[in-house]
């Protein structure tokens, strides 16, 4: 038995379908708008960064990029024979700024917090110490051996502990202090056979310690306490860093940059190094935002030990039994420190939780008031 629809019934059905399609369209538009607003606000972008890139992901990303850029920069310095460390750093930051400008043009760059939440002097200080930290590090690597560079890096850990205590009354527990001491001794033993240095390079390495410590502290604090994401903070501070790197170049780079052979192959290697430099800066910022300044330094020392042991097991290099023993000792200390960091602590607020709690509640959790922006802490 067949039933026939009248023209009126057909109009009703089509109208109902149009209504359903309209509701679905509005729902999709609302979802897209909510996602866009979530990403475009500083608080929403910070939540997205924390959701996508946790501590383990951020540290692993930073570790892989850091190992990759070591081999790429080795090609730049040895194969290409580009002997201008400050200019190389300047090129890295110029490429980073260009890539972030592209992201901003397509509205992909996360929004920055309001100008009232962070003083311009703080951003200026961060841009300044970034230029000193990265520039001095490359100059130190040019004049000194890897072993001496790592010995200088060991001094960054106590510098961070001292600076955080002086600035924020942040204390390190006894167990973590012992683990960090074991790590430092292990790295020192692992690199003691490679302590060749140049007097000027040694002075630069010593001058690099304090800016490196302050750089890591500020990156970690601004992300964890003031809703900055890694990319938005890079976007704000990179122009300041570029200005200071350009000012440092005549003082620290040797002459002869105009006579360098800028052929296609050399330029391609330097550009590849710059791309990895952007990823290294981004991954380092993510790691500092997800963990702490000390954890980031420990990761760098772990990278050194892994490269030393990897060269021994994979490529047959023989650094000596003492260096191998030191590397294993350092890795054991890092494992203990990581375990102490991952162990849940009652009545404590994690750094990424602290940034989302109201100040009054955070003060109660930490057992103190917040007349200043940061109260006394212990880790």
């Amino acid at each position: 038995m067949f039933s026939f629809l009248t023209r009126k019934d057909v109009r009703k059905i089509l109208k109902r379908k149009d209504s359903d399609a309209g509701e679905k369209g509005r729902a999709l538009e609302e979802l897209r708008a909510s996602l866009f607003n979530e990403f475009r606000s500083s608080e929403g972008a910070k939540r997205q960064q924390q959701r996508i890139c946790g501590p383990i992901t951020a540290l692993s990303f930073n570790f892989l990029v850091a190992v990759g850029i070591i081999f790429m920069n080795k090609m730049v310095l040895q194969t290409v024979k580009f002997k201008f460390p400050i200019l190389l750093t300047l090129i890295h930051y110029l490429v980073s700024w260009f890539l972030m400008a592209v992201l901003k043009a397509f509205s992909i760059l996360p929004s920055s917090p309001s100008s009232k939440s962070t003083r311009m002097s703080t951003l200026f200080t961060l841009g300044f110490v970034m230029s000193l930290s990265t520039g001095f590090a490359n100059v130190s690597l040019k004049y000194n051996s890897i072993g001496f560079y790592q010995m200088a890096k060991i001094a960054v850990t106590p510098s961070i502990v001292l600076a955080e205590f002086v600035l924020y009354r942040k204390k390190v527990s006894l167990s973590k202090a012992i683990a960090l001491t074991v790590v430092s001794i292990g790295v020192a033993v692992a690199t003691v056979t490679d302590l060749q240095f140049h007097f000027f390079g040694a002075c630069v390495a010593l001058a690099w310690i304090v800016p490196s410590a302050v750089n890591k502290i500020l990156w970690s604090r601004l992300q964890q306490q003031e809703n900055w994401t890694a990319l938005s903070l890079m976007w704000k501070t990179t122009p300041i860093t570029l200005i200071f790197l350009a000012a440092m170049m005549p003082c620290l780079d040797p002459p002869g940059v105009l006579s360098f052979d800028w052929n296609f192959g050399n330029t391609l290697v330097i550009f590849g190094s710059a791309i990895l430099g952007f990823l290294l800066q981004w991954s380092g910022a993510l790691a500092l935002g997800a963990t702490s300044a000390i954890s980031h330094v420990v990761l760098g020392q772990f990278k050194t030990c892994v490269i030393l042991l990897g060269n021994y097991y994979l490529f047959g290099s023989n650094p000596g039994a003492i260096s191998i023993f030191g590397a294993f000792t350092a890795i054991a200390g890092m494992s203990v420190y990581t375990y102490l960091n991952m162990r849940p602590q009652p009545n404590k607020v994690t750094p990424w939780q602290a940034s989302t709690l109201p100040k009054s509640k955070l003060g109660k959790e930490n057992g103190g008031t917040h007349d200043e922006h940061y109260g006394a802490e212990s880790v």
Side-chain angles (χ1 to χ4, degrees):
M1 182 177 181
F2 297 94
S3 61
F4 297 94
L5 297 175
T6 63
R7 185 177 298 177
K8 185 176 180 181
D9 294 331
V10 172
R11 283 199 298 267
K12 287 182 179 180
I13 293 174
L14 293 176
K15 187 176 181 181
R16 189 181 304 117
K17 288 184 177 180
D18 290 340
S19 177
D20 293 341
E23 290 178 0
K24 291 180 180 178
R26 285 193 297 272
L28 288 174
E29 285 294 329
E30 291 174 0
L31 178 60
R32 185 167 59 182
S34 64
L35 290 175
F36 180 78
N37 292 331
E38 175 80 2
F39 187 70
R40 293 301 299 165
S41 68
S42 60
E43 294 84 358
K46 177 67 181 298
R47 286 192 295 269
Q48 290 290 340
Q49 176 177 298
Q50 292 171 348
R51 189 178 301 120
I52 297 172
C53 194
I56 296 177
T57 303
L59 291 173
S60 300
F61 180 29
N62 184 237
F63 174 80
L64 293 174
V65 175
V67 172
I69 201 172
I70 287 175
F71 294 103
M72 182 60 74
N73 282 346
K74 190 174 182 180
M75 289 182 60
V76 172
L77 295 173
Q78 294 186 2
T79 306
V80 178
K81 299 187 183 305
F82 189 79
K83 304 296 184 180
F84 311 98
I86 300 297
L87 178 58
L88 180 62
T89 308
L90 182 67
I91 293 172
H92 283 193
Y93 278 96
L94 279 172
V95 172
S96 296
W97 184 85
F98 173 77
L99 293 175
M100 288 184 289
V102 173
L103 294 178
K104 188 173 181 63
F106 286 95
S107 299
I108 301 176
L109 193 75
S111 294
S112 304
S114 64
S115 57
K116 296 180 180 179
S117 64
T118 303
R119 291 178 296 181
M120 186 60 195
S121 60
T122 303
L123 298 176
F124 182 86
T125 301
L126 179 55
F128 173 63
V129 297
M130 279 174 61
S131 64
L132 294 181
S133 176
T134 53
F136 284 172
N138 285 337
V139 173
S140 175
L141 280 172
K142 177 184 176 182
Y143 288 98
N144 304 317
S145 64
I146 296 293
F148 186 83
Y149 175 77
Q150 292 301 327
M151 290 291 286
K153 187 181 288 187
I154 292 174
V156 175
T157 303
S159 299
I160 290 175
V161 173
L162 178 62
E164 288 188 326
F165 176 75
V166 172
L167 296 175
Y168 310 117
R169 293 289 181 251
K170 186 176 181 179
K171 301 176 183 178
V172 176
S173 63
L174 178 61
S175 56
K176 289 186 180 181
I178 294 174
L180 290 173
T181 302
V182 172
V183 171
S184 300
I185 293 174
V187 174
V189 172
T191 56
V192 73
T193 57
D194 185 23
L195 289 182
Q196 303 167 0
F197 68 95
H198 185 277
F199 177 75
F200 175 72
C203 293
V204 172
L206 292 175
W208 163 79
I209 293 172
V210 173
S212 179
V214 175
N215 180 42
K216 294 179 186 300
I217 291 171
L218 288 178
W219 272 103
S220 183
R221 284 278 164 176
L222 287 175
Q223 289 186 81
Q224 293 178 6
Q225 302 291 344
E226 300 188 18
N227 286 328
W228 285 90
T229 61
L231 284 174
S232 61
L233 194 52
M234 287 168 60
W235 173 252
K236 287 291 185 180
T237 56
T238 296
I240 302 170
T241 303
L242 288 171
I243 293 172
F244 282 104
L245 284 172
M248 291 165 59
M249 193 168 61
C251 303
L252 296 176
D253 268 354
V257 63
L258 295 179
S259 61
F260 179 75
D261 184 16
W262 290 96
N263 58 45
F264 178 77
N266 292 347
T267 304
L268 188 63
V269 172
I270 294 173
F271 181 73
S273 172
I275 295 294
L276 284 177
F278 165 70
L279 294 177
L280 181 65
Q281 185 188 0
W282 183 29
S283 62
L286 289 172
L288 285 167
T291 56
S292 67
I294 295 179
S295 296
H296 191 252
V297 173
V298 171
L299 176 69
Q301 294 169 344
F302 175 72
K303 173 192 64 182
T304 301
C305 294
V306 168
I307 291 174
L308 186 148
L309 294 175
N311 285 332
Y312 173 70
Y313 284 107
L314 298 177
F315 303 108
S317 66
N318 187 14
I322 295 178
S323 294
I324 294 174
F325 173 76
F328 277 115
T329 302
I331 290 176
M334 295 170 199
S335 301
V336 174
Y337 179 78
T338 303
Y339 166 75
L340 294 173
N341 265 349
M342 299 298 290
R343 186 175 59 184
Q345 299 179 5
N347 299 326
K348 294 287 183 180
V349 179
T350 59
W352 46 90
Q353 289 172 332
S355 62
T356 59
L357 286 175
K359 290 185 178 180
S360 58
K361 185 176 180 181
L362 182 59
K364 293 177 182 179
E365 291 285 348
N366 286 334
T369 59
H370 274 263
D371 295 331
E372 298 295 336
H373 192 74
Y374 305 117
E377 299 180 55
S378 62
V379 294

